[in-house]
C-alpha cells in the first residue's frame, strides 16, 4: 500500500503565499506523474498542476504565473508553492501520485492524499 500525506494548508490573506507539501510512502518502486487537485463544496475536483518524473509541468490557466509545482524524487515528495493567492483559490487541496509498485509489473496505481484546507480570506 501507498500513503500520501499533505501538509501546509491554512488561512492566508489575499495576496499571501502558502507552500503545500505531500509525502508519499509505502511500497513504491517509482512514481510517474504527481499532481495537485482542489475541490470546493458542491463542485467536482479539478486539476491544479501536474509534474512528471522528468519535471515536465502543467497548470490550469487560473494559476499560471502564481503557482509552482516541484518534486523531490529522492524523497518521493511533491510541493505546490502558491503565491498571490486569491479568495477563489479557497478549497481543499489533494495530492495525487501515479505509482508503480514493483519493478516487474507495468501496472500503475493512482493514490490520493486526505486533503488539506486552504482558505484565502481577509
Amino acid at each position: 500500500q501507498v500513503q500520501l500525506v499533505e501538509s501546509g494548508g491554512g488561512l492566508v490573506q489575499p495576496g499571501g503565499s502558502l507552500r503545500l507539501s505531500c509525502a508519499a510512502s509505502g511500497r513504491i518502486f517509482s512514481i510517474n506523474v504527481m499532481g495537485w487537485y482542489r475541490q470546493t463544496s458542491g463542485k467536482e475536483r479539478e486539476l491544479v498542476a501536474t509534474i512528471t518524473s522528468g519535471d515536465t509541468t502543467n497548470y490550469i490557466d487560473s494559476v499560471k504565473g502564481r503557482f509552482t509545482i516541484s518534486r523531490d524524487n529522492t524523497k518521493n515528495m511533491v510541493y505546490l508553492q502558491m503565491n498571490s493567492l486569491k479568495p477563489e483559490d479557497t478549497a481543499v487541496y489533494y495530492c495525487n501520485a501515479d505509482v508503480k509498485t514493483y519493478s516487474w509489473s507495468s501496472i500503475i496505481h493512482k493514490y490520493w492524499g486526505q486533503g488539506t484546507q486552504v482558505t484565502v480570506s481577509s
Side-chain angles (χ1 to χ4, degrees):
Q1 270 291 1
V2 174
Q3 297 79 40
L4 300 181
V5 179
E6 302 104 334
S7 61
L11 172 64
V12 64
Q13 292 187 342
S17 298
L18 282 176
R19 187 186 191 221
L20 305 183
S21 299
C22 173
S25 62
R27 192 177 294 278
I28 298 171
F29 173 73
S30 64
I31 302 177
N32 185 8
V33 180
M34 302 186 81
W36 290 94
Y37 292 70
R38 65 188 180 187
Q39 188 171 24
T40 56
S41 179
K43 294 187 177 181
E44 292 188 357
R45 191 172 298 185
E46 69 169 352
L47 171 69
V48 176
T50 60
I51 183 168
T52 69
S53 57
D55 288 337
T56 298
T57 58
N58 180 55
Y59 300 90
I60 56 171
D61 288 343
S62 62
V63 307
K64 286 181 179 177
R66 300 189 297 121
F67 291 11
T68 302
I69 189 171
S70 61
R71 63 190 283 175
D72 185 336
N73 292 327
T74 65
K75 298 180 180 179
N76 290 331
M77 293 195 69
V78 63
Y79 308 95
L80 187 66
Q81 178 66 43
M82 304 185 293
N83 299 328
S84 302
L85 282 161
K86 304 176 180 180
E88 51 264 43
D89 295 318
T90 296
V92 178
Y93 283 72
Y94 296 90
C95 171
N96 168 268
D98 293 342
V99 178
K100 183 177 180 181
T101 303
Y102 302 104
S103 61
W104 45 265
S105 174
S106 61
I107 297 175
I108 303 294
H109 295 280
K110 186 178 291 289
Y111 293 94
W112 294 91
Q114 82 288 352
T116 185
Q117 176 70 47
V118 171
T119 302
V120 185
S121 175
S122 55

